[in-house]
Amino acid sequence: KRTGGNRACFYNEIESDTRARERIRLEAELKTALLRDEIRIVFQPKIDCASMKVVGAEVLARWDHPERGMLAPGCFIDVAEESGLIAKLGDRVMELACLQGRAWLDRGRSMPIAVNVSIRQLEKPGFTARVLEILNFTGFPAELLQFEVTETVAMADPEGVSQTTKPLLEAGITFAIDDFGTGYSSLAHLQRLPFNTFKIDRSFISRLAADHHSRSIVQTIIAMAKSLNYEVVAEGVETEEQHVFLKEHGCTTAQGFLFARPMPADRFESWSRGFLQP
Ligand code: C2E
Ligand code: CA
Ligand code: CA
Ligand code: CA
């Protein structure tokens, strides 16, 4: 399955030593994949809740596997992180994203792009330098680039994160807390970290209709974002009711299958042309 989850990756019911061997094989394959340039990216639009305009795109990695087809990140990000291959993979994703962003810019479309960055990438020395290098050689403006960092990990070492991110912030890159609401962030940390966007985790959005706790949590996150002067993006919006709820409660931006699935650059381009432009 194209955008499917982990199910499509491997056999489920295999013995654990087989699974361990599978993992080792996967790591070797991923190494080869990076050499053979099998990493692709897809784009999912972010929509302004009120105006319905496309206000940006999230970049999601795919592995164009020679035998198993297009693999979703659920199949390989964990292995990439554990093996240290995430740095190379992340660099490649960022490079592809910035190249595409630059190509759109050259055709007169200024599209803000968000790239997922794992804490393993942020921790590695040289990350900042490589990002600046990629921006430099692609000519993609830092102001159009956002990094999405998952809440849990970002909060483990707020001091370290804020050190690494300082030069990137100064360059104009912005940071979003991904999967907000699911991690362990202390509210005290929020102030010290360089984020300016919350991405409300999909789990809260999917329970909006059924569960009044989720409604309260979503409303609270939106209110908190507003008072901190943060942007707030709801992820995993699948129904019109969810969209209406979010709009009525002042959520600025939404993303999800209701609007579009992640798609390759050329499809994203024609899709968003038919949609309202930024
Ligand atoms: P994420 O950052 O939370 O990305 C959103 C995921 O939700 C994507 O799955 C997207 O396809 C899916 N999604 C979007 N809208 C909907 C919806 O309405 N309903 C449902 N059910 N799902 C929706 P995907 O592409 O499989 O990515 C999974 C995760 O892999 C991402 O979660 C992100 O944490 C990670 N990831 C993806 N690309 C990269 C990358 O380049 N680097 C790193 N470090 N992580 C990545
Ligand atoms: Ca994300
Ligand atoms: Ca997310
Ligand atoms: Ca997620």
Side-chain angles (χ1 to χ4, degrees):
K1 260 182 70 185
R2 247 182 156 258
T3 52
N6 299 350
R7 279 167 300 131
C9 312
F10 316 110
Y11 312 96
N12 274 332
E13 318 278 328
I14 47 177
E15 312 273 323
S16 70
D17 65 320
T18 317
R19 208 166 334 185
R21 254 181 280 132
E22 178 65 26
R23 211 173 176 81
I24 292 164
R25 190 172 72 117
L26 182 68
E27 189 184 322
E29 276 190 49
L30 189 55
K31 209 173 273 174
T32 314
L34 287 162
L35 292 171
R36 289 193 194 146
D37 205 14
E38 292 169 1
I39 301 303
R40 307 282 177 267
I41 55 171
V42 286
F43 296 82
Q44 188 179 34
K46 298 186 183 187
I47 308 292
D48 181 288
C49 283
S51 69
M52 294 293 285
K53 286 180 179 174
V54 180
V55 290
E58 177 177 4
V59 167
L60 296 153
R62 295 291 181 266
W63 176 3
D64 191 1
H65 192 285
E67 284 125 41
R68 282 181 278 190
M70 205 60 90
L71 299 181
C75 301
F76 58 89
I77 290 291
D78 285 354
V79 170
E81 287 187 347
E82 283 159 24
S83 61
L85 290 169
I86 191 70
K88 273 214 172 71
L89 176 71
D91 284 359
R92 185 60 186 142
V93 167
M94 209 169 305
E95 205 174 273
L96 289 169
C98 291
L99 283 169
Q100 186 57 60
R102 181 68 234 185
W104 281 330
L105 209 54
D106 290 342
R107 293 203 285 280
R109 293 203 59 190
S110 172
M111 184 62 68
I113 288 175
V115 174
N116 291 285
V117 172
S118 138
I119 194 69
R120 287 293 174 84
Q121 290 171 263
L122 281 180
E123 279 169 357
K124 274 232 164 116
F127 175 76
T128 303
R130 278 200 317 282
V131 172
L132 296 174
E133 196 182 299
I134 290 171
L135 287 172
N136 192 38
F137 90 77
T138 58
F140 188 63
E143 295 72 30
L144 290 179
L145 186 61
Q146 182 169 72
F147 288 156
E148 297 188 3
V149 185
T150 301
E151 183 192 7
T152 334
V153 283
M155 298 303 155
D157 178 19
E159 218 43 70
V161 170
S162 68
Q163 281 308 312
T164 313
T165 50
K166 205 162 169 259
L168 300 174
L169 277 167
E170 282 164 3
I173 295 173
T174 58
F175 286 77
I177 309 184
D178 211 347
D179 302 344
F180 188 73
T182 61
Y184 306 92
S185 48
S186 131
L187 293 178
H189 282 161
L190 286 178
Q191 296 284 53
R192 295 198 289 140
L193 290 164
F195 299 100
N196 81 339
T197 303
F198 290 143
K199 290 197 81 178
I200 308 173
D201 191 66
R202 187 169 81 218
S203 60
F204 300 113
I205 307 303
S206 68
R207 290 198 298 262
L208 274 180
D211 168 18
H212 71 91
H213 280 121
S214 292
R215 286 196 290 277
S216 300
I217 290 168
V218 169
Q219 280 174 255
T220 305
I221 295 175
I222 294 169
M224 187 159 76
K226 198 157 269 171
S227 63
L228 288 166
N229 208 17
Y230 279 27
E231 300 228 352
V232 59
V233 183
E235 62 176 31
V237 178
E238 293 182 350
T239 70
E240 193 48 48
E241 290 93 313
Q242 291 165 351
H243 176 215
V244 167
F245 178 93
L246 291 162
K247 190 164 60 178
E248 281 174 355
H249 290 89
C251 184
T252 48
T253 313
Q255 193 184 339
F257 294 170
L258 174 66
F259 310 106
R261 292 190 174 245
M263 49 200 154
D266 53 345
R267 282 233 322 274
F268 177 87
E269 200 177 341
S270 48
W271 180 90
S272 58
R273 216 181 289 121
F275 227 76
L276 288 167
Q277 298 289 307

